[in-house]
Amino acid sequence: MQITAKTSVYCLIGHPVGHSLSPLVHNQAFKATGHQGVYVAFDTADHAGSAAAIRALGIKGASVTIPHKVNIMAHLDEIDGHARQIGAVNTILHSGGKLHGYNTDGYGGQKAIEEKTSIAGKKVLIIGAGGAARALGFSFKNRGADVCIANRTYEKARFLAQDLGAVSVSLDEISDRNFDILVNTTPVGMHPATDAVPVPESVLTPGMYVMDIIYNPVRTKLLQKAEAAGCHVIDGVGMFVFQGAAQFSLWTGIEAPVAQMRRVVYEYLNNLDK
Ligand code: NAP
């Protein structure tokens, strides 16, 4: 696509950003829809300066990643209720002279699961109590799930469960309970330590849905073990693509080309393995 004086600019702000797949998916989405946009990644430690730059340069929208998801909020004009609930923003829409903050992470994970099974009324175990667990926890609760949090540092699981109106359990006890859906939100099993598994095999029961939000590798050791135990598995690409698709729709007002966005991510990740 040709870049002209009318091309809208979108960006990622974070540090580091060198491994981000967001430029790949968003530029693919612009290409597939013909939307006159370009998406670039800015590696920056300056969240206040980034917000000022978005205003000054007329950047139409931004993705926000670590370490700015919380501290950027003070520099925005309006924050959507769900992002406020989570306490973090991963998306900025610059519209009507204002910066609006949203969080699409939880929605991304919810959509990835709902492609395979419903969430309402299900017993969902979230492993981890960090930023991703928090975003997913609120989305699952809002969807009517019965959420349980387990985390290496039990106190953090307890705090998150309290905020969610959910329950917490120690990692040692998860095998004693039954769950319909298990979601790993820890980096355990991520490249390069791909042999690690965040839960004992005894928790993986036939018919359970297991999602790993890690997407490098696509097929984590947890998903391999879950499949062998008769579980349905969901890899981390779905969550990543759907959170990006929601950003794209917020920015452009048009439906995101999810299939093309997903294809470009799989192509990239599968080539990494070679
Ligand atoms: P975070 O806020 O740093 O939280 C990390 C969580 O993992 C904490 O609960 C931490 O437990 C736990 N943890 C870390 N290392 C561990 C270990 N060795 N053993 C057991 N638990 C461990 O990180 P985050 O932002 O939530 O992201 C977590 C992961 O999700 C990352 O791998 C990230 O790449 C991935 N992610 C994927 C998507 C997607 O779209 N697919 C989106 C967001 C994030 P403690 O409290 O004990 O430290």
Side-chain angles (χ1 to χ4, degrees):
M1 190 192 303
Q2 199 163 19
I3 294 175
T4 71
K6 290 188 177 147
T7 303
S8 298
V9 178
Y10 303 85
C11 70
L12 168 66
I13 56 166
H15 177 74
V17 297
H19 289 94
S20 173
L21 301 186
S22 292
L24 195 68
V25 287
H26 284 300
N27 287 314
Q28 178 66 30
F30 295 144
K31 192 169 144 196
T33 57
H35 179 79
Q36 287 296 308
V38 64
Y39 183 106
V40 289
F42 293 124
D43 192 333
T44 173
D46 182 358
H47 57 277
S50 298
I54 291 167
R55 287 183 205 276
L57 300 177
I59 291 172
K60 294 277 173 31
S63 311
V64 183
T65 190
I66 288 167
H68 304 316
K69 286 185 176 188
V70 176
N71 54 20
I72 196 75
M73 293 173 80
H75 303 278
L76 307 181
D77 301 302
E78 281 170 11
I79 294 168
D80 153 82
H82 179 60
R84 200 177 285 286
Q85 207 180 23
I86 296 166
V89 153
N90 80 331
T91 309
I92 298 171
L93 167 66
H94 188 186
S95 152
K98 287 187 171 171
L99 300 189
H100 307 263
Y102 298 88
N103 195 313
T104 66
D105 280 332
Y107 167 82
Q110 172 200 313
K111 281 287 284 184
I113 294 174
E114 285 181 341
E115 281 193 304
K116 302 274 174 78
T117 188
S118 65
I119 292 175
K122 298 284 175 63
K123 289 186 191 138
V124 182
L125 173 64
I126 298 178
I127 308 295
R134 197 172 165 81
L136 289 167
F138 278 108
S139 287
F140 297 160
K141 278 297 284 183
N142 293 344
R143 216 66 183 162
D146 186 357
V147 176
C148 180
I149 311 285
N151 188 49
R152 174 177 64 179
T153 310
Y154 179 69
E155 270 304 277
K156 283 204 213 161
R158 204 169 63 76
F159 283 135
L160 176 56
Q162 223 164 41
D163 281 358
L164 293 174
V167 294
S168 55
V169 64
S170 95
L171 273 173
D172 296 337
E173 290 168 337
I174 57 176
S175 299
D176 303 338
R177 304 196 178 198
N178 290 319
F179 299 100
D180 304 305
I181 301 172
L182 181 153
V183 180
N184 174 45
T185 72
T186 76
V188 178
M190 190 161 73
H191 179 80
T194 54
D195 268 339
V197 183
V199 292
E201 277 175 58
S202 51
V203 78
L204 304 170
T205 51
M208 180 189 260
Y209 285 80
V210 177
M211 178 163 83
D212 201 333
I213 73 166
I214 291 170
Y215 52 75
N216 183 17
V218 172
R219 211 133 198 95
T220 60
K221 190 65 103 185
L222 170 64
L223 295 187
Q224 292 172 32
K225 288 194 179 290
E227 203 157 53
C231 306
H232 307 276
V233 298
I234 304 167
D235 67 43
V237 173
M239 173 169 168
F240 177 70
V241 167
F242 281 118
Q243 63 79 31
Q247 296 185 321
F248 180 88
S249 296
L250 281 167
W251 295 333
T252 64
I254 55 181
E255 198 179 325
V258 171
Q260 284 101 319
M261 294 167 85
R262 199 194 297 257
R263 181 176 49 74
V264 81
V265 175
Y266 277 125
E267 269 172 17
Y268 179 85
L269 292 171
N270 289 336
N271 276 328
L272 279 183
D273 292 345
K274 286 175 190 156

